[in-house]
Each structure stands twice: as structure tokens, then as C-alpha cells.
Amino acid sequence: MTLIKKYIPLAICFLVGLMTLASYYVPNKTSENYLEVMNKWENIVAGFAFLLGLFSLFFSHYNKIRRKVDGWGYSLFVFVGFLVMVVPALMSHGKQMDGTSLTGLGWGYRFMFNALSGTMFSVLAFYIVSTAYRAFRIKSAQAGVLFAAALVLIIGKVPLGQLMWDKMLGWTHLGVTQIVQWLMDVPVVAGRRGIMMGLAVGGIVTALKIIFGIERQYMGKD
Amino acid sequence: MKNFLEKLLKIDRRLIFLALAILLVFPIVKPLGLPNLNLGSEVKSLYERIEGLPPRSFVLMSLDYDPATRPELHPQAVAILRHAFRKNLRVGILTLNAGATGLIEEIGERIPKDIAPEKVYGKDYVILPYQPNPVAVMTQMGMDLYQIYDKDRDGSPIRDMEVFKGIKNVKDMQLGICITGTAMLDYWIAYTGDKFKFPMAGGVTAVSQMGYAPYLQTGQLKGLVGGMKGAADYETLINHKEKGTSGIDALSLAHLMVIILIVTANIMMLWLKYL
Amino acid sequence: MLKTRLNLAVIAVFLAVSSVSAAAPASQKNDLPKPDFAGFEAKDMPYDKGEAVLLTWPAGAADVPGALYQVYAAGADGVWVKADEFPADSRFAADFDLPFWAWKHDSTLHAMQVELPSFFKDFKTGQEYGFKLKYVNGKTSAESAEVKAVAAANMFNLARLNNLVLLVVTIIVFFWTVSHAKRKGLFIRRIAGLDAIDEAIGRATEMGRPIFYSTGIGGMSAIPTIASTSILSEVARKVASYDTQLKVPHFDPIVMTVSKEIVKQAYTEAERPDSYRDDINFFVSQDQFSYAASVDGMIHREKPAACFFIGHFMAESLLLAEVGATTGAIQIAGTEQESQLPFFFTSCDYTLIGEELYAAGAYLSKEPMLLSTLKVQDFGKAFVMFAVGAGSLLLLAGTWFNWQPLLKVVGHIFKAY
């Protein structure tokens, strides 16, 4: 049992990891074919995994409805929403357009999914404003520098801000877009590069830990 | 006074939401018509790149945004498409995001209607179907795109289409543009741009724009359109103002409100602390 | 008579001058240099997958502006196809984008890569193809003899040797640190976010409210998600021992399957297998904002005492964190997306930045082997800092003293091919 649960998965992980790594250095058609096969297998696994997730979702919400836990009414919407989109999709064979007219799926996508998704994203705008008011307090010198940079960027990114800057500080002959460009090109890039390099190194070490079987969380420990 | 300021500092966030909503509705109902004078240099880079392409060059557009980021990114896609068709370029449109399929349909509807009515599907442009597993698709596109895309979204074989004449993989294409609200552009740069020396450009949300500055500096990205302002800039460059430009007024007022709120909050905090 | 002789002499001189000037262009035409095709060679293009052939021939006086080279290729059927045409003063071996250890950048040699599948639909690796070169300069032309070559797949891309050396060194350092794992403890600086996990779980236990743990919207192949599952294992073990309620909503079904295994194992290790329930991990949606809306609803209704947002997050980060903040939950977040870190900073109590996320598994478990691998991360960062510093100094020196070879060497060593 240990062989199947522990050693075989570790061996598969090690071999596949090494082969994928080696394919970067071997320009042969064989390594290209290997990568293609791996990608196709990943697609197939993702498809079956989605089915698994769907069953988990339905089961979890069915239980909530059956036991009538708090908020079980919301669980009904999972099934309603699923049927409202899937049934028209099956009827129109997955097509959103039937010639020039919308199918049921297309209508649902354009007038329900589009609107709901856009609404969720737009909530971010409100949250950003309220968070900025609540949390952006200058309590230290570093926070002051951050505020100054943020202020310049907020002003410099929109025409109204640019007009205001030109009117109030135009005498400095320093355009806000120049400052914004400098901020984007120098401190932002430097900070981002530093974080990117750290993340890249961390990513490499994590990948090596998995390939060589030191990190085994994903298969449950012994 | 002290109590009043403390209450103001802890004001119910719903009042802030209401104030913002009123402020945003106003310019939509009655546009302010603010001029868009300062255009981003990275937007100009993309514009000049497309301007410099010879006629019938092939541009691959990967529209990987879902309806959530549609308001910011759809105007970018439309403006770039308009420009590409005006330059008589061949355009291949695809998506690696399942949520974007409906948006691709919208674009497919709009091209013969108002974006480029003179262009012929199959000869000047093609729309490819959605494919899962983006990394697999990008890797395959660098080797042989017909292995992953043998038919277009309507099921017609693409190999013999005039739009794909002389195209086997991304090395035969002149420019790739990924418009996305996720990290898809990073994948395009890593798996296609760097690996196959394929010139890449991008369109991203405003919040992600800063993160791509290193790629612009190293030349891994040939241009970048950021957010609604970027869309407005591009519309100004192609001299065709649309949704991007119309949203700038609301954006300006929202930015102004954020500045006023932050400054007010800090003044109140300092007042409470020192006075 | 004299006048007639004079006229005859003038005519003779005129005819002589005309014949000389007519002869001059002809002899000038014959003086136009022609390229040297004696050195024209075709061989397999190195470091490729066997679809290209490399043509080389010496540059010379014939490579003048206005002149053209035309390349022709033929398959087994003998039909010649025009592969390319380019100005004669271009396409040198010095222009190839390959490093100095894999390629000789010779500016006295023309070099051209011919991608055969672009011209032959029935192309097969290992098949012999013929090539010839034609030179055209106005009315002057010259053609080379046919040369044959076979495109073969290569086993190693020498251009990526710098990358391979770095990988091998990293692996050696990796194994060295792992083999020295048990010698002595390794100092790790305090990471407030990870130290606060005990506090968060304790708070949830006292208040009798659940803990929400989100692994983000990345897939299982994403490194932040793997790091998140390491932290989930430690959180689940502590939750199991305190008998607190844990809820883990998922964006990706594969991550959900893996997380189920991890949490089950954690409960078993905490000797609480009976407390484990399968619905601790549940799938929500593979759409970003649907996931955020659902989790926000759950947080708003169930009012958890602690929320963990650890993994790959994009725009939904603020939606999740802000709703958690309104319920008064203690929040610990960590993501590799720098654009989302500001949102987590403002809404969460503790934030893990960058590779603190990747060090979390080792930090929490205190396993010697995992701890020792942190040294590899430090080595990697030290190498990067040294490379940036040394590389910058060398480039500065090369530019200052105009040492082109040094600039070339440094540029090639630090480039990815």
C-alpha cells in the first residue's frame, strides 16, 4: 500500500519533473511531442476535475437545502442559475448566436452574466474609495512619502488632474505626466523587479522541493 | 468638535458609496467633455508599432477578459481592431478565457457592422474558438498552430483560409496583442514572446499596468494600453472617440473624490492628534 | 585638298574617341566584382529540432549596396523554390542571436538559416535538400554550384548552457543544504503573519466562530497555491486540535481534491479523525467574481473570527478582504501578485509579502529538511544580487573603456536564449 500511496506518486513526480526540465534544453522533436502529450493530458484531467467540482458543489448545496440550515434559500439559486444557463446552452448546442439573432445562451450571457460580472467588478471602485478613506492615514514618514507618490499618480492619470496641476503648478515647468513617467520607470520598476526576483527564486526552490520529494503535502504525509 | 471629527473619521462606508454613486452618475448623464491631451508613451509605442507594419501583416489578438473587466478592456480591443483594419492588416482573434466567448461574439457582430464593414471574414480576419489550458495553447502556437486550431469558431477548416496564407506558427506573425484582466499577458510573454521571439504588446486593467513597466523597459512588451485612460488615449490617436473617451469624465471625478477624502481624513486625524 | 584632309582627320579622331568611350563602359562592366562561391556551404542548423539548414559563404567586395542575394532550395523532386532574397550587405554570422560559446560571430562570413517546412509541405527531418545561391547586381549575376544538406534534430541546445550551469549549481547547493539539514538549527527572522496564525485560531475557538481559508484563484500548478496548501496543512492541524470549525471554499476543483487530502491527513495527525468532515473543502465556482461573491456572502452571513487569504489573487482580493474587515475578523493574507498587496495591506491585519509565502511551509512545520531549503533561496538571492552588482560594474567598465568584447561576453552570459 505504501508503494502505491507514496513511492509510485513520488517516482512519477520525479520523472515527469526531470523530463519536463530536460525538454527545455533538448531541442528535439521528441521533447516537443512529450510537451504536447503532457499538455493534452493536463486538459483531460482539468475536464474531469471540473466534473468532480460540480458534483461537490451540488452535493454541498443539496445538503444545505435538505437540512434547511440558515441561508438554505441561497442554495436554491445555485441550481436555478445552473439550469438557466445550461438548458439553453444544450438547446442551442453551445452557440451564442443563431445567424444574427441571439440564442437563449447568448441572451443569458449578454444580459445576465455580463451585467452581474460588471456589477461585481464595479463594487471594487466603491470599496477602493472607502478603504482609501479608512486606511490611508499618514502615521509615519514612509506613509507620507507613499501618500505623495499616490497623490501625484492619482492626479496625473486623468485629464482633470492634469488640468489642475497645470493651473496650480504649471509655473514649475514640470508636467505631472513627466513625474508619473519617472515614478513608473524608476521606483516602481525597481521595487517590482526586486519582488519578482525573490518570487522567481522562491518558485524555483519550491519546484525543486516537489520534484525531489521533499515537499509532499499534496499527497498527504505518511 | 472633537466628537464630530471622530464620528466623521468612522463614518458609515455606505454614505461614501452613495456620494461616489451620485458623483459617477452625473458625468454619464451630462458629459463634461474634458480634453485628453497627455497621451501615454507606452500607448503611443503600440500605435506606432501597428502604424509601421506593412499591409497584410498578421496580428494575433488574444482577448482574455471576462465581462467583469469589459468596461475597461473592451474599448481597448475595439480601438486596436479598428486601427489594425485601417492599416489593412490580417487579424486573428482568439480567447483563452471561457468567460470571454460572448464578448468575442459581440466583436464578431460589430466588425461587419461598424468597425470594418469592408473586411471579409476568412480573408481579412478570423475568429478562433475557445481552448482551455492556456500554456498548452501558447506552446503549440509557437510550433504548429494547426495542431491546436484546425477549425474556426463556426467549425470551418482554417488551414486553407486566405487569412492564414503563409502562417504556420507565431514566428510567421508580425505582432501579438493580449488584452486581459488576469495574468495571461505574463504567460504570453514567457511562453510565446520570449521563447519564440514573437513581438508582444498588451492591454491591461489600470491596476495591473504598473506591474508591466519592467517588461516595457526590457523590450519584452512593444506597447501597453492601460485601463480606460489607455483606451481613451488610443481612441485619440486613431481619431475615433468612443466608450473609452466617454468614461474619462467619470474617472476624473472619482479620482478627485479619492484625493479629497484622503486629504480630509488626514487633516481631521492631525487636528484630533495635535489640537 | 588640304581642307578635305583636315576634315578626314577630324572625322577619324572623332571615330577613335567614340570607339574608346564606347569601349570604356564595356570594360567597366567587366570589372564589377563577383562573390566568391567557392566557400558556399550548407549544413544542419545547430541547436534546433531538425527543421532548419544553415547556409554560409564568405563575404567580399561584391557585397555592395544595391546588390542582392537570392537563395533557392530544392527537394527530392528537384524543383527549385526561391527561399529568400536580401541585400548583399546584410545577413552576416555576426548578426545571429546566439552566445559566443555556441557561435562564432564572424563579420566576414554570410550566414542564413533556412526553415524548410515553410517551403516544403512534405518536409521530413533527415531528408536531403539542395541549395544554391544567386548574386544579382544590376546586369551582373552569378550563381553558385548546388550544395546538399540534411536537417537533423540536435540533442542539446548549447545556447542555453548558461542556464543549465546555473540550474546544476542550484541543484548542488540544494542537495548540499538538505544533506546538512540536521546539523544545527537555522535562524529564520520572525514573520509576523505566520506567528499570528495561533492567535487567529485561538480567537476563533474562544468566540465559537468558524475560520475561513481561501487558497486563491490559482491552479495546482501555480507555486503560490502549493505554498498555500502547505500553510493549510498547518492551520488544519491546529484547528483539529482545538476542535474549531474550518471552511475552505475553492476556486479550482483540482486544488479542492488536493486540499481534501491535506486536511484529512492533518486531522489524522492531530488524532481527531472523527472530527473531520468531507465538506470542509468545497467547490464554489471557477469564475473569479462568482467565487468572490459567494465567499463574500458566506463571510457576511457566518461572520468568521479569522480569515486566511493565501495564494494567487487578482481583482477579487479587495472584495474578499474588505468584507472580512467589516465583520471584524482577524485577517492574514499573502499573495505573489504585487498589484494586490496594497489592497491586502489596507484591509488585513497581517500580510505575507513575496517569498515569505514560499518560506511559510518550512517556517511553520520547523522540519529540518524544509528549513534547510530556505538556504537555497538565500543563496539564489545572494547570487542575483552579486550578478546585478558585478554585471553592472563590468558593463560600466566596458562602456567606459570601450571594451566591446567585454560588453559582448557579459551581455551573452546574462541573457536567456
Side-chain angles (χ1 to χ4, degrees), chain A residues 24-25 27 32 49 121 192, chain C residues 49 157 160 163 253 289 338:
Chain A
Y24 181 73
Y25 302 101
E32 215 175 83
F121 194 69
R192 171 147 169 121
Chain C
K49 58 180 176 177
N157 187 349
R160 291 176 175 170
N163 192 300
F289 289 100
E338 312 83 46

Side-chain angles (χ1 to χ4, degrees), chain A residues 7-214:
Chain A
Y7 292 116
I8 291 179
L10 280 176
I12 291 172
C13 180
F14 175 72
L15 279 168
V16 172
L18 275 190
M19 279 165 63
T20 310
L21 208 55
S23 67
Y24 181 73
Y25 302 101
V26 177
N28 215 290
K29 193 89 176 108
T30 315
S31 69
E32 215 175 83
N33 292 340
Y34 161 77
L35 283 174
E36 270 178 49
V37 164
M38 285 293 119
N39 286 328
K40 281 180 184 162
W41 286 4
E42 208 182 323
N43 265 346
I44 294 167
V45 169
F48 278 103
F50 180 73
L51 272 176
L52 206 71
L54 205 59
F55 287 139
S56 156
L57 179 73
F58 285 160
F59 196 65
S60 148
H61 284 280
Y62 169 73
N63 276 336
K64 281 187 185 170
I65 296 170
R66 190 169 56 87
R67 286 185 281 131
K68 293 214 174 20
V69 298
D70 280 343
W72 67 271
Y74 297 111
S75 295
L76 276 174
F77 276 99
V78 171
F79 295 96
V80 167
F82 179 77
L83 290 169
V84 158
M85 291 304 280
V86 167
V87 169
L90 287 169
M91 284 167 58
S92 64
H93 304 290
K95 288 194 193 312
Q96 295 198 22
M97 298 291 292
D98 181 15
T100 52
S101 60
L102 286 167
T103 60
L105 174 66
W107 192 94
Y109 181 93
R110 198 171 287 194
F111 298 110
M112 290 200 297
F113 185 58
N114 256 348
L116 290 168
S117 293
T119 306
M120 281 305 299
F121 194 69
S122 66
V123 169
L124 266 179
F126 293 89
Y127 279 164
I128 285 172
V129 174
S130 77
T131 305
Y133 179 74
R134 186 172 55 81
F136 216 145
R137 305 285 160 89
I138 305 170
K139 290 178 182 168
S140 63
Q142 293 100 313
V145 170
L146 178 65
F147 172 69
L151 187 70
V152 168
L153 274 159
I154 293 170
I155 289 172
K157 278 288 181 181
V158 288
L160 184 64
Q162 289 158 7
L163 279 169
M164 279 166 53
W165 178 282
D166 290 339
K167 271 210 168 357
M168 292 194 299
L169 296 167
W171 53 269
T172 57
H173 300 292
L174 197 61
V176 69
T177 42
Q178 287 171 281
I179 300 174
V180 166
Q181 198 61 43
W182 181 85
L183 282 169
M184 289 262 290
D185 288 345
V186 183
V188 167
V189 167
R192 171 147 169 121
R193 279 208 177 114
I195 294 177
M196 267 167 86
M197 285 176 198
L199 285 168
V201 171
I204 290 167
V205 173
T206 307
L208 286 175
K209 279 193 281 187
I210 292 167
I211 289 174
F212 293 118
I214 291 170

Side-chain angles (χ1 to χ4, degrees), chain C residues 289-313:
Chain C
F289 289 100
S290 309
Y291 175 79
S294 178
V295 175
D296 279 348
M298 284 187 260
I299 289 174
H300 189 73
R301 284 190 296 277
E302 298 183 40
K303 297 199 180 357
C307 293
F308 293 84
F309 303 117
I310 300 177
H312 174 70
F313 289 89

Side-chain angles (χ1 to χ4, degrees), chain A residues 189 192-193 196, chain B residues 185-187 189-190 194 210-222:
Chain A
V189 167
R192 171 147 169 121
R193 279 208 177 114
M196 267 167 86
Chain B
L185 182 57
D186 296 60
Y187 288 101
I189 295 169
D194 286 349
M210 298 271 185
Y212 290 98
Y215 293 117
L216 284 165
Q217 278 196 5
T218 55
Q220 285 165 294
L221 272 181
K222 307 304 175 196

Side-chain angles (χ1 to χ4, degrees), chain C residues 205-233:
Chain C
T205 311
E206 279 169 20
M207 294 169 84
R209 294 202 326 225
I211 293 170
F212 269 73
Y213 190 107
S214 172
T215 53
I217 62 167
M220 201 60 221
S221 54
I223 306 283
T225 311
I226 296 169
S228 179
T229 53
S230 302
I231 302 173
L232 173 62
S233 170

Side-chain angles (χ1 to χ4, degrees), chain C residues 370-388:
Chain C
L370 288 177
L371 279 173
S372 68
T373 57
L374 291 180
K375 277 192 211 169
V376 187
Q377 267 179 246
D378 289 341
F379 161 78
K381 280 195 288 190
F383 173 78
V384 166
M385 285 192 285
F386 166 76
V388 167

